[in-house]
CSV table of all heavy atoms in Angstrom, one decimal:
chain,number,residue,atom,x,y,z
A,125,THR,N,1.1,16.8,-14.6
A,125,THR,CA,-0.3,17.2,-14.6
A,125,THR,C,-1.0,16.8,-13.3
A,125,THR,O,-2.1,17.4,-13.0
A,125,THR,CB,-1.0,16.4,-15.7
A,125,THR,OG1,-1.0,15.0,-15.5
A,125,THR,CG2,-0.4,16.7,-17.1
A,126,GLY,N,-0.5,15.9,-12.5
A,126,GLY,CA,-1.2,15.4,-11.4
A,126,GLY,C,-2.2,14.3,-11.7
A,126,GLY,O,-2.9,13.8,-10.8
A,127,PHE,N,-2.4,14.0,-13.0
A,127,PHE,CA,-3.4,13.0,-13.3
A,127,PHE,C,-3.0,11.6,-12.8
A,127,PHE,O,-1.8,11.2,-12.8
A,127,PHE,CB,-3.6,12.9,-14.8
A,127,PHE,CG,-4.2,14.2,-15.4
A,127,PHE,CD1,-4.0,14.5,-16.8
A,127,PHE,CD2,-4.9,15.1,-14.7
A,127,PHE,CE1,-4.6,15.6,-17.3
A,127,PHE,CE2,-5.5,16.2,-15.2
A,127,PHE,CZ,-5.3,16.5,-16.5
A,128,GLU,N,-4.0,10.8,-12.5
A,128,GLU,CA,-3.8,9.4,-12.2
A,128,GLU,C,-3.4,8.6,-13.4
A,128,GLU,O,-4.0,8.8,-14.5
A,128,GLU,CB,-5.1,8.9,-11.6
A,128,GLU,CG,-5.0,7.4,-11.2
A,128,GLU,CD,-6.4,7.0,-10.6
A,128,GLU,OE1,-6.9,7.6,-9.6
A,128,GLU,OE2,-6.9,6.0,-11.1
A,129,ALA,N,-2.4,7.7,-13.3
A,129,ALA,CA,-2.0,6.9,-14.3
A,129,ALA,C,-2.2,5.4,-13.9
A,129,ALA,O,-1.7,5.0,-12.9
A,129,ALA,CB,-0.5,7.1,-14.7
A,130,VAL,N,-3.1,4.7,-14.7
A,130,VAL,CA,-3.4,3.3,-14.4
A,130,VAL,C,-2.4,2.4,-15.2
A,130,VAL,O,-2.5,2.5,-16.5
A,130,VAL,CB,-4.8,3.0,-14.7
A,130,VAL,CG1,-5.1,1.5,-14.4
A,130,VAL,CG2,-5.8,3.9,-13.8
A,131,LEU,N,-1.6,1.6,-14.6
A,131,LEU,CA,-0.6,0.8,-15.3
A,131,LEU,C,-1.1,-0.7,-15.2
A,131,LEU,O,-1.1,-1.2,-14.1
A,131,LEU,CB,0.8,1.0,-14.7
A,131,LEU,CG,1.3,2.4,-14.6
A,131,LEU,CD1,2.6,2.4,-13.9
A,131,LEU,CD2,1.4,3.0,-16.1
A,132,ALA,N,-1.4,-1.2,-16.3
A,132,ALA,CA,-1.9,-2.6,-16.4
A,132,ALA,C,-1.1,-3.5,-17.3
A,132,ALA,O,-1.3,-4.7,-17.4
A,132,ALA,CB,-3.4,-2.7,-16.8
A,133,ARG,N,-0.2,-2.8,-18.1
A,133,ARG,CA,0.7,-3.6,-19.0
A,133,ARG,C,2.1,-3.0,-18.9
A,133,ARG,O,2.3,-1.8,-18.4
A,133,ARG,CB,0.2,-3.4,-20.4
A,133,ARG,CG,-1.2,-4.0,-20.7
A,133,ARG,CD,-1.6,-3.9,-22.1
A,133,ARG,NE,-0.8,-4.7,-23.0
A,133,ARG,CZ,-1.0,-6.0,-23.2
A,133,ARG,NH1,-2.0,-6.6,-22.6
A,133,ARG,NH2,-0.2,-6.7,-24.0
A,134,GLY,N,3.1,-3.7,-19.3
A,134,GLY,CA,4.4,-3.2,-19.3
A,134,GLY,C,5.3,-3.8,-18.2
A,134,GLY,O,4.9,-4.7,-17.4
A,135,ASP,N,6.5,-3.4,-18.2
A,135,ASP,CA,7.5,-3.9,-17.2
A,135,ASP,C,7.1,-3.7,-15.8
A,135,ASP,O,6.7,-2.6,-15.3
A,135,ASP,CB,8.8,-3.1,-17.4
A,135,ASP,CG,10.0,-3.7,-16.6
A,135,ASP,OD1,10.1,-3.2,-15.4
A,135,ASP,OD2,10.7,-4.5,-17.1
A,136,VAL,N,7.0,-4.8,-15.0
A,136,VAL,CA,6.4,-4.8,-13.7
A,136,VAL,C,7.3,-4.0,-12.7
A,136,VAL,O,6.8,-3.3,-11.9
A,136,VAL,CB,6.2,-6.2,-13.2
A,136,VAL,CG1,7.4,-7.0,-13.0
A,136,VAL,CG2,5.4,-6.2,-11.9
A,137,VAL,N,8.6,-4.1,-12.9
A,137,VAL,CA,9.5,-3.4,-11.9
A,137,VAL,C,9.4,-1.9,-12.2
A,137,VAL,O,9.3,-1.1,-11.2
A,137,VAL,CB,11.0,-3.8,-12.1
A,137,VAL,CG1,11.9,-2.9,-11.3
A,137,VAL,CG2,11.1,-5.3,-11.7
A,138,ASP,N,9.3,-1.5,-13.4
A,138,ASP,CA,9.2,0.0,-13.7
A,138,ASP,C,7.8,0.5,-13.2
A,138,ASP,O,7.8,1.5,-12.6
A,138,ASP,CB,9.2,0.2,-15.2
A,138,ASP,CG,10.6,0.2,-15.8
A,138,ASP,OD1,11.5,0.3,-15.1
A,138,ASP,OD2,10.7,0.2,-17.1
A,139,ALA,N,6.8,-0.3,-13.4
A,139,ALA,CA,5.4,0.1,-12.9
A,139,ALA,C,5.4,0.2,-11.4
A,139,ALA,O,4.9,1.2,-10.9
A,139,ALA,CB,4.4,-0.9,-13.4
A,140,VAL,N,5.9,-0.8,-10.7
A,140,VAL,CA,5.8,-0.7,-9.2
A,140,VAL,C,6.7,0.3,-8.7
A,140,VAL,O,6.4,1.1,-7.7
A,140,VAL,CB,6.1,-2.1,-8.7
A,140,VAL,CG1,6.1,-2.1,-7.1
A,140,VAL,CG2,5.1,-3.1,-9.1
A,141,ALA,N,7.9,0.5,-9.3
A,141,ALA,CA,8.8,1.5,-8.8
A,141,ALA,C,8.2,2.9,-9.0
A,141,ALA,O,8.4,3.8,-8.2
A,141,ALA,CB,10.2,1.4,-9.6
A,142,ALA,N,7.5,3.1,-10.1
A,142,ALA,CA,6.8,4.4,-10.4
A,142,ALA,C,5.7,4.6,-9.3
A,142,ALA,O,5.6,5.7,-8.7
A,142,ALA,CB,6.2,4.4,-11.8
A,143,SER,N,4.9,3.6,-9.0
A,143,SER,CA,3.9,3.8,-8.1
A,143,SER,C,4.4,4.1,-6.7
A,143,SER,O,3.7,4.7,-5.9
A,143,SER,CB,3.0,2.5,-8.0
A,143,SER,OG,1.9,2.6,-7.2
A,144,ALA,N,5.6,3.6,-6.4
A,144,ALA,CA,6.2,3.8,-5.0
A,144,ALA,C,7.2,4.9,-5.0
A,144,ALA,O,7.8,5.1,-3.9
A,144,ALA,CB,6.9,2.5,-4.6
A,145,ALA,N,7.3,5.7,-6.0
A,145,ALA,CA,8.3,6.8,-6.1
A,145,ALA,C,7.8,8.0,-5.3
A,145,ALA,O,7.2,9.0,-5.8
A,145,ALA,CB,8.5,7.2,-7.5
A,146,ILE,N,8.0,8.0,-3.9
A,146,ILE,CA,7.6,9.0,-3.1
A,146,ILE,C,8.2,10.4,-3.6
A,146,ILE,O,9.5,10.4,-3.8
A,146,ILE,CB,8.1,8.8,-1.6
A,146,ILE,CG1,7.5,7.4,-1.1
A,146,ILE,CG2,7.7,9.9,-0.7
A,146,ILE,CD1,8.2,6.9,0.1
A,147,PRO,N,7.4,11.4,-3.7
A,147,PRO,CA,8.0,12.7,-4.3
A,147,PRO,C,9.1,13.2,-3.5
A,147,PRO,O,9.0,13.4,-2.3
A,147,PRO,CB,6.8,13.6,-4.3
A,147,PRO,CG,5.6,12.7,-4.2
A,147,PRO,CD,6.0,11.5,-3.5
A,148,GLY,N,10.2,13.5,-4.2
A,148,GLY,CA,11.4,14.1,-3.6
A,148,GLY,C,12.3,13.1,-2.9
A,148,GLY,O,13.4,13.4,-2.7
A,149,VAL,N,11.7,11.9,-2.6
A,149,VAL,CA,12.5,10.9,-2.0
A,149,VAL,C,13.1,10.0,-3.1
A,149,VAL,O,14.4,9.8,-3.1
A,149,VAL,CB,11.7,10.1,-1.0
A,149,VAL,CG1,12.5,8.9,-0.4
A,149,VAL,CG2,11.1,11.0,0.1
A,150,PHE,N,12.3,9.4,-3.9
A,150,PHE,CA,12.8,8.6,-5.1
A,150,PHE,C,12.6,9.4,-6.3
A,150,PHE,O,11.7,10.3,-6.4
A,150,PHE,CB,12.0,7.3,-5.2
A,150,PHE,CG,12.2,6.3,-4.1
A,150,PHE,CD1,11.2,6.0,-3.2
A,150,PHE,CD2,13.5,5.8,-3.9
A,150,PHE,CE1,11.4,5.1,-2.2
A,150,PHE,CE2,13.7,4.9,-2.8
A,150,PHE,CZ,12.7,4.5,-2.0
Side-chain angles (χ1 to χ4, degrees):
T125 65
F127 292 160
E128 178 180 307
V130 179
L131 304 176
R133 301 182 63 83
D135 186 274
V136 64
V137 173
D138 282 348
V140 175
S143 183
I146 303 167
V149 178
F150 292 117

